[in-house]
Amino acid sequence: MALQGNNSPSTVSVEKTFNDQHFLLNFIMSTYLGPDVFFDNPRRSASQRLAQALPPYTSNSLSFSFVSLSQLESLYYYVLRNANPALVVEPSVFHMYLKGIMPLPSSELPEDCQQFTSFFPLNIHGHKRYSGRYEIVKGIVLIDDPDTSFIKKEDLVRFRSLSGMDDLKIDKIKSLCYEHEYKKRKEDGKQNYMKNSKANATGNISDGNHNSSSQSREPCMERHPNNPLPEPALSHPVSVSNHHILQGAFLKNCNRDGPAMMPLLTVPNGKECMSDASVTLTGTATKGMVGPPIGVVDIGISKLAYFFQAALPGVRRDYSHFSCEIEADGKVHIQGSTSGGKTIRKRSRVFCMRLHQICPPGQFTLDFSLPGPVDPRLFSPHFRCDGIFEAVVIKQK
């Protein structure tokens, strides 16, 4: 987008609007988001780290937090919900900004060339795509009450004027789940698509000769040019009865080479979604004898979300050895590997292990189900330093 040529009022107006859009993009993404750096306590926003010239970090310095592109989109539109619509870019442009490929006017000023990847470089904050259109950015946390003491006064005044926000503090849950105009339009399109699909499936009336209509009717829906085609509606899980659950017991199969199962404690209002073997373990996690077991799970319920904690002592926390995926029906699938071995090196000493009670080193999986369907895009995990992996995931509407 080249903003050159004459200085007519229309050209100046377009250039000013673009400058304001670009300013808002950078301000929101760098102020409300920050790298999840271990040695930052509390966590600081990207712009705060730059302003205070804090030490650089690498991908090895980051915790397991991440945000999805859908959450970044919701955050952006939530912050600008009271702004002039002309200052708000469409989703296609916003996602180009997130990728660092949004067209910018030529300028020698560094701030005029900044995009999302300027604050969160791809070589440190990698993007990972899962099934469908679900994509995450690693090592990023949301800062709902950002520190503004380091921000230039003129930038703060400009942001408040353009966004219509007096207080920069935001609601974390609402900002990540915000139903903005484009998302509502997409949801309406999905509903129309499903209605028309059902009508086509059941509404082909045969004539007197028992021949169905020769014209196939395409689903009719109004679609924004920047919105992708709707996805099929997600099915809800079938309820499973909850029989003979042994409260607090840790059951394992007699066959050590097979998966180990243990019951999940009953959660209020979620009995119909729990099974006899709610938690399934495979791999080295089944071979621990006594000591702290891998796979003990606690689940909590609120009005809008589910919360779970899983005990994972001795599990490596880096991304190359650990992953957690959540399906729309509430199934949680955790993969990882345990550390240890027959010999362990500590500084200059080598220890030969004679007693083996903790899980041996190797790969394992942990599978269990939440009490109901969820939105996998709205998932906020945290792997604590005490070996507890916990996460909040928003319920499916």
Side-chain angles (χ1 to χ4, degrees):
M1 180 176 179
L3 300 175
Q4 300 175 352
N6 60 57
N7 292 324
S8 64
S10 59
T11 303
V12 174
S13 176
V14 170
E15 183 174 0
K16 183 179 185 304
T17 299
F18 179 81
N19 289 338
D20 288 339
Q21 290 175 341
H22 187 225
F23 168 80
L24 288 172
L25 281 166
N26 285 334
F27 189 96
I28 293 171
M29 294 295 109
S30 66
T31 304
Y32 287 102
L33 299 169
D36 190 12
V37 181
F38 281 126
F39 48 79
D40 277 358
N41 190 16
R43 301 295 189 261
R44 295 173 175 85
S45 67
S47 57
Q48 185 177 3
R49 295 191 99 260
L50 292 172
Q52 297 178 347
L54 296 179
Y57 60 91
T58 65
S59 58
N60 294 330
S61 308
L62 298 175
S63 183
F64 273 88
S65 298
F66 64 82
V67 291
S68 68
L69 298 195
S70 176
Q71 289 174 322
L72 294 177
E73 183 182 289
S74 295
L75 170 66
Y76 171 73
Y77 289 111
Y78 175 80
V79 173
L80 297 184
R81 63 193 183 280
N82 296 322
N84 187 327
L87 301 176
V88 184
V89 301
E90 295 187 353
S92 60
V93 179
F94 177 73
H95 284 268
M96 292 174 67
Y97 168 83
L98 294 180
K99 299 288 187 179
I101 58 175
M102 187 178 79
L104 297 174
S106 57
S107 173
E108 296 181 356
L109 298 176
E111 58 268 22
D112 292 340
C113 303
Q114 289 178 328
Q115 300 196 45
F116 183 79
T117 50
S118 304
F119 305 106
F120 303 100
L122 289 172
N123 63 323
I124 300 178
H125 300 272
H127 291 220
K128 184 174 181 180
R129 180 179 293 276
Y130 291 90
S131 59
R133 299 181 180 90
Y134 183 55
E135 186 172 342
I136 66 169
V137 186
K138 299 178 180 179
I140 293 181
V141 291
L142 175 66
I143 300 174
D144 55 349
D145 190 9
D147 181 5
T148 60
S149 60
F150 63 93
I151 302 177
K152 296 179 181 178
K153 184 178 180 180
E154 56 269 25
D155 288 343
L156 202 55
V157 171
R158 183 183 180 187
F159 173 74
R160 286 172 172 164
S161 174
L162 295 175
S163 66
M165 293 179 63
D166 293 327
D167 185 5
L168 269 64
K169 185 176 181 180
I170 60 173
D171 185 290
K172 181 176 292 187
I173 298 297
K174 289 182 179 179
S175 64
L176 296 179
C177 308
Y178 181 62
E179 294 283 341
H180 54 83
E181 173 189 356
Y182 300 99
K183 184 181 288 186
K184 290 178 181 177
R185 190 181 301 173
K186 182 179 178 181
E187 292 301 322
D188 291 342
K190 285 183 182 180
Q191 293 178 5
N192 292 337
Y193 176 80
M194 295 306 298
K195 286 180 181 179
N196 289 321
S197 296
K198 290 179 180 178
N200 290 340
T202 60
N204 291 332
I205 303 175
S206 58
D207 56 24
N209 297 324
H210 302 284
N211 294 323
S212 61
S213 175
S214 60
Q215 295 180 349
S216 60
R217 302 171 62 185
E218 294 292 331
C220 298
M221 57 173 285
E222 189 176 285
R223 185 166 69 90
H224 192 275
N226 292 314
N227 283 351
L229 288 172
E231 301 170 355
L234 298 170
S235 59
H236 288 259
V238 179
S239 299
V240 181
S241 61
N242 186 20
H243 299 297
H244 312 300
I245 289 185
L246 302 179
Q247 197 170 32
F250 182 73
L251 302 182
K252 292 187 176 181
N253 284 354
C254 295
N255 180 9
R256 282 283 180 175
D257 294 327
M261 300 182 183
M262 61 183 178
L264 200 62
L265 301 185
T266 302
V267 180
N269 302 323
K271 293 181 179 179
E272 68 280 2
C273 298
M274 316 303 268
S275 65
D276 287 355
S278 300
V279 177
T280 303
L281 290 167
T282 66
T284 58
T286 67
K287 302 181 185 299
M289 300 300 293
V290 295
I294 286 180
V296 175
V297 175
D298 289 342
I299 294 179
I301 299 178
S302 72
K303 184 177 181 181
L304 298 175
Y306 297 119
F307 170 75
F308 69 83
Q309 294 178 320
L312 302 174
V315 175
R316 300 180 183 181
R317 301 199 299 169
D318 55 286
Y319 283 114
S320 60
H321 294 90
F322 182 85
S323 67
C324 177
E325 297 183 8
I326 297 184
E327 299 179 13
D329 59 2
K331 292 180 180 178
V332 180
H333 182 68
I334 296 175
Q335 288 181 308
S337 63
T338 53
S339 57
K342 294 182 179 180
T343 60
I344 295 179
R345 296 180 181 273
K346 288 293 182 181
R347 297 183 176 89
S348 60
R349 297 181 175 89
V350 179
F351 297 90
C352 297
M353 306 305 293
R354 297 296 178 88
L355 182 63
H356 295 278
Q357 295 183 340
I358 301 176
C359 300
Q363 300 291 322
F364 75 92
T365 65
L366 167 61
D367 297 285
F368 60 93
S369 294
L370 297 172
V374 298
D375 187 341
R377 301 168 300 174
L378 305 178
F379 169 50
S380 178
H382 176 54
F383 205 148
R384 293 170 13 189
C385 60
D386 58 358
I388 300 295
F389 178 73
E390 60 185 20
V392 174
V393 58
I394 303 302
K395 294 179 180 178
Q396 189 182 90
K397 293 185 178 179

